[in-house]
Amino acid sequence: MNKKPELLAPAGSPEALDAALAGGADAVYIGGTLFNARMNAKNFERPALLQAVEKCHRSGAKLYVTLNTLVLDRQMKDALDFAAFLYGAGVDALIVADLGLSLEIHRRLPDFPLHASTQMSGHNAEAARFLHTLGFERMVCARELSGENIRQLVQNSPIEIEAFVHGALCVCHSGQCLFSSIVGGRSGNRGECAQPCRLPYNGKYPLSLKDNCLAGHLQELTKMGVASLKIEGRMKSADYVYAVVSTYRRLLDENRDATGEEIGRMKEVFSRSGFTDGYFTGRISNEMLGTRTKENMQESEKIRLTRTALPSARSPYELHRVLPLTEEPYRILKNPPPPKKRRSARFYRVSSIPENAQRELSEIYLPLDVFDGKKANGVLFPPVIPDLELPLVKEKLQKARAAGAIHALIGNIGQIALAKELGFRLHGDYRLNVTNSSAAAFYENIFEDLILSPELILPQVRDIGGEKSFIVYGRLPLMTLEKPLGTDFLRDRRNAVFPVLQEGKRSLVFNSLPIYMGDRMKLLKEAGIYNEHYIFSTEGPKECETVLNYYQKGLPTKREVRRIK
């Protein structure tokens, strides 16, 4: 008989925490006022955090705290001090997204349980195995996984798997969205998302998804062995938390799936034109799209809830703290002597790579599905490789290797072992979200060089030592979408046009403006950037050649471009 999964509830305020416990949650996750991905929620000051720990433990529930944003070098000490406070307070686990912060916490507090946030983009068993070696006890899997992919992941993972079962969905793979940051100046990876996916494009809402609801699949999830069922909603009301948590509690205790009536009641409390289970079932279509309508809001306003504390399967809580806090200093890489200048580039839709590219670029990458070995010497790994897609991807990579692919640009921790197995020379892509020296130092032992996060500004890049690369030209891929858009571009309300290209099965949304720093190379060198990386997406061969010549000569451009500060 399968063990009943943990029911994990959100709480963005003390009132919501009370609602989660009354609804029968086995565990609750909250955020403090630092380093959490819902900085616009009410959140918990330190005294309230202490009270939350006591309240949860008195009820036999666990309390997890989110430190699930990217952390800069200059913030690392504050983040570690906060983690030490949470450890001392008796918090049961940290939900972490930044690899560098995770490494530092585990070094100092080796018995503090770590859960890998969905922001870490964990979507296959190899990612779980990688995290296991770093001390993680649980991985929150990508919300875009199908039920069969989740089953494969659970069967082959050495750590617990947590899955979202209810609440808001990001249209972009979590941890891979740069739209709000690059276009709006508010980083979703740092808890300040402006939700550009909820805005109109091409006169419609092609990026706004309905809320997730897997209440009709609970028996299946339980049989898979999913360790924790997670409800999203730290920005939502206490009434929402109680209504949803209490429904899922009843379903778990009665070992059944939800009825249509029960799903309808949760829809009345909050929905965006209804619910979807499209990712889980694999029925990915425009039926998944939805917005928060006036009718939805009026429906929610009519709801009046009476809270009755529900029984749960919670066992008496026991607090274990064994090892002492260690005081090892935070590792800061010192800049080595300037390396020899290197230039690399990736080409997406360019039909013909210009001749001068081979002379000037040390690595030329093409996406896996278009690699031909004629002019490129590197392959760009797909941004997402779920377990069920792995055999076919591996076969294609073997063919690319045989055709002359020497270098591999790796953007996910779940791809490292595969690239090593196939004998590639490994290079780290920007998708790894490296924003601090601890992460860079770790990856220095895996990759020949590492493209730092494009969210960094030049002074923040300067803080990070080692063999670092940076994107100095091109349209940044802002979103990686599981759901095809069926269009070549998105036009927003300001008339900005964002190209949409396919990479394998998935759509990539690119920025409307390319980065251009050809006339500001001195600033790049002052930040320690000697390895330059170029992205060519919508450019033709002649334009690619012009760009490389302009950078070689340090010339300005007359085009409207984006600058790195």
Side-chain angles (χ1 to χ4, degrees):
M1 184 175 176
N2 292 91
K3 180 183 176 182
K4 189 178 295 185
E6 169 189 86
L7 180 58
L8 178 56
S13 67
E15 296 78 19
L17 175 67
D18 291 340
L21 294 174
D26 298 311
V28 183
Y29 67 102
I30 67 175
T33 55
L34 298 171
F35 309 112
N36 94 77
R38 292 289 185 270
M39 291 304 295
N40 292 325
K42 186 175 179 181
N43 294 315
F44 291 74
E45 300 281 353
R46 292 196 180 197
L49 273 164
L50 293 172
Q51 293 171 7
V53 173
E54 181 183 359
K55 186 175 291 186
C56 285
H57 291 174
R58 193 167 59 240
S59 299
K62 292 183 177 181
L63 183 72
Y64 308 144
V65 174
T66 57
L67 268 73
N68 56 345
T69 61
L70 301 182
V71 178
L72 305 173
D73 275 323
R74 300 176 194 192
Q75 299 173 320
M76 188 64 76
K77 184 179 184 304
D78 288 341
L80 292 172
D81 286 346
F82 187 48
F85 163 77
L86 296 171
Y87 176 89
V91 167
D92 297 287
L94 297 179
I95 303 172
V96 192
D98 188 291
L99 183 74
L101 176 61
S102 307
L103 294 168
E104 296 300 329
I105 291 172
H106 191 59
R107 285 200 311 128
R108 290 163 165 76
L109 306 163
D111 67 327
F112 205 170
L114 295 179
H115 297 176
S117 167
T118 191
Q119 292 291 113
M120 273 193 163
S121 305
H123 53 254
N124 59 27
E126 189 51 51
R129 286 190 280 268
F130 182 90
L131 291 167
H132 178 59
T133 65
L134 301 184
F136 281 85
E137 297 185 2
R138 180 184 291 185
M139 182 177 87
V140 186
C141 67
R143 282 173 271 198
E144 297 77 17
L145 293 182
S146 68
E148 193 52 43
N149 269 307
I150 295 174
R151 188 191 314 278
Q152 291 286 327
L153 171 58
V154 172
Q155 287 178 356
N156 296 290
S157 170
I159 57 178
E160 294 180 343
I161 297 301
E162 178 178 303
F164 278 95
V165 294
H166 199 95
L169 286 172
C170 298
V171 71
C172 175
H173 273 265
S174 296
Q176 300 300 308
C177 187
L178 296 173
F179 209 132
S180 180
S181 174
I182 300 303
V183 177
R186 291 171 54 184
S187 171
N189 289 325
R190 301 189 66 204
E192 300 172 337
C193 182
Q195 295 191 310
C197 54
R198 303 298 181 189
L199 298 176
Y201 300 89
N202 300 355
K204 299 179 181 178
Y205 291 86
L207 300 178
S208 182
L209 296 182
K210 297 175 181 176
D211 276 20
N212 185 32
C213 179
L214 301 186
H217 303 279
L218 289 191
Q219 291 296 288
E220 188 178 353
L221 287 160
T222 298
K223 290 175 183 176
M224 288 179 191
V226 173
S228 181
L229 305 180
K230 187 172 195 171
I231 296 166
E232 183 278 337
R234 284 191 289 138
M235 295 288 289
K236 295 190 174 84
S237 69
D239 280 347
Y240 166 90
V241 171
Y242 177 77
V244 175
V245 172
S246 60
T247 300
Y248 279 84
R249 176 79 273 152
R250 183 167 51 252
L251 298 175
L252 286 172
D253 290 347
E254 296 175 5
N255 296 311
R256 63 179 178 84
D257 294 331
T259 64
E261 183 182 355
E262 287 168 320
I263 292 174
R265 284 202 296 267
M266 289 192 289
K267 175 180 170 291
E268 289 173 356
V269 173
F270 186 96
S271 84
R272 290 181 172 88
S273 306
F275 291 138
T276 181
D277 60 1
Y279 284 142
F280 187 83
T281 61
R283 295 194 292 266
I284 298 175
S285 70
N286 284 342
E287 290 298 312
M288 298 174 66
L289 298 176
T291 60
R292 182 76 170 149
T293 66
K294 182 185 294 185
E295 290 75 16
N296 294 154
M297 296 178 191
Q298 291 172 344
E299 204 172 40
S300 299
E301 287 172 1
K302 296 176 184 176
I303 300 297
R304 294 292 179 268
L305 295 176
T306 301
R307 293 182 204 164
T308 303
L310 296 183
S312 76
R314 296 195 295 256
S315 57
Y317 177 81
E318 294 182 23
L319 176 64
H320 296 284
R321 288 285 181 261
V322 182
L323 300 177
L325 174 66
T326 59
E327 295 293 345
E328 297 179 51
Y330 169 51
R331 293 172 293 173
I332 296 287
L333 284 173
K334 300 298 181 184
N335 273 314
K340 184 178 179 181
K341 179 179 177 179
R342 295 173 60 186
R343 307 172 92 190
S344 61
R346 72 188 78 187
F347 293 81
Y348 283 95
R349 199 169 60 182
V350 179
S351 57
S352 176
I353 299 173
E355 291 292 338
N356 70 333
Q358 288 181 295
R359 296 192 302 270
E360 296 187 31
L361 299 170
S362 54
E363 292 93 38
I364 297 177
Y365 301 99
L366 283 172
L368 176 60
D369 281 355
V370 297
F371 183 85
D372 59 9
K374 294 178 181 178
K375 291 188 177 181
N377 60 1
V379 63
L380 179 61
F381 269 47
V384 180
I385 313 177
D387 287 299
L388 291 180
E389 295 178 24
L390 188 58
L392 179 58
V393 170
K394 185 175 181 178
E395 182 182 328
K396 290 181 178 180
L397 286 169
Q398 288 171 327
K399 290 180 180 178
R401 187 81 179 89
I406 301 169
H407 303 274
L409 195 55
I410 306 297
N412 187 274
I413 56 176
Q415 303 172 355
I416 294 170
L418 176 61
K420 286 182 176 180
E421 176 191 339
L422 297 178
F424 286 102
R425 293 173 62 178
L426 274 61
H427 305 262
D429 198 8
Y430 75 93
R431 296 180 188 278
L432 293 167
N433 289 331
V434 173
T435 59
N436 56 64
S437 293
S438 184
F442 174 82
Y443 283 130
E444 197 172 53
N445 298 317
I446 298 175
F447 301 116
E448 293 186 17
D449 55 74
L450 178 68
I451 301 175
L452 300 180
S453 167
E455 294 193 73
L456 297 174
I457 59 175
L458 293 180
Q460 294 162 352
V461 171
R462 188 178 59 233
D463 289 342
I464 301 174
E467 191 78 5
K468 59 194 177 190
S469 300
F470 206 64
I471 297 168
V472 301
Y473 173 80
R475 297 175 188 268
L476 287 173
L478 301 179
M479 285 183 165
T480 301
L481 307 181
E482 195 71 17
K483 195 192 87 59
L485 285 177
T487 180
D488 292 333
F489 67 91
L490 296 176
R491 187 186 301 274
D492 72 6
R493 298 171 302 173
R494 301 165 301 141
N495 222 28
V497 175
F498 301 88
V500 178
L501 305 180
Q502 288 297 120
E503 187 175 351
K505 293 175 59 177
R506 293 164 181 92
S507 297
L508 301 185
V509 179
F510 287 77
N511 197 11
S512 59
L513 297 176
I515 294 169
Y516 187 82
M517 295 292 285
D519 53 344
R520 299 187 181 183
M521 300 303 286
K522 183 181 177 184
L523 294 177
L524 299 178
K525 299 300 176 291
E526 289 173 352
I529 299 170
Y530 292 87
N531 296 349
E532 305 161 12
H533 188 76
Y534 300 75
I535 296 177
F536 295 105
S537 52
T538 60
E539 297 86 348
K542 187 175 180 61
E543 189 175 357
C544 294
E545 187 170 349
T546 299
V547 167
L548 292 172
N549 287 336
Y550 270 42
Y551 270 77
Q552 194 75 10
K553 298 174 182 178
L555 299 176
T557 180
K558 294 180 181 179
R559 297 174 58 189
E560 186 181 3
V561 294
R562 181 177 182 270
R563 299 291 197 172
I564 304 167
K565 296 180 181 178

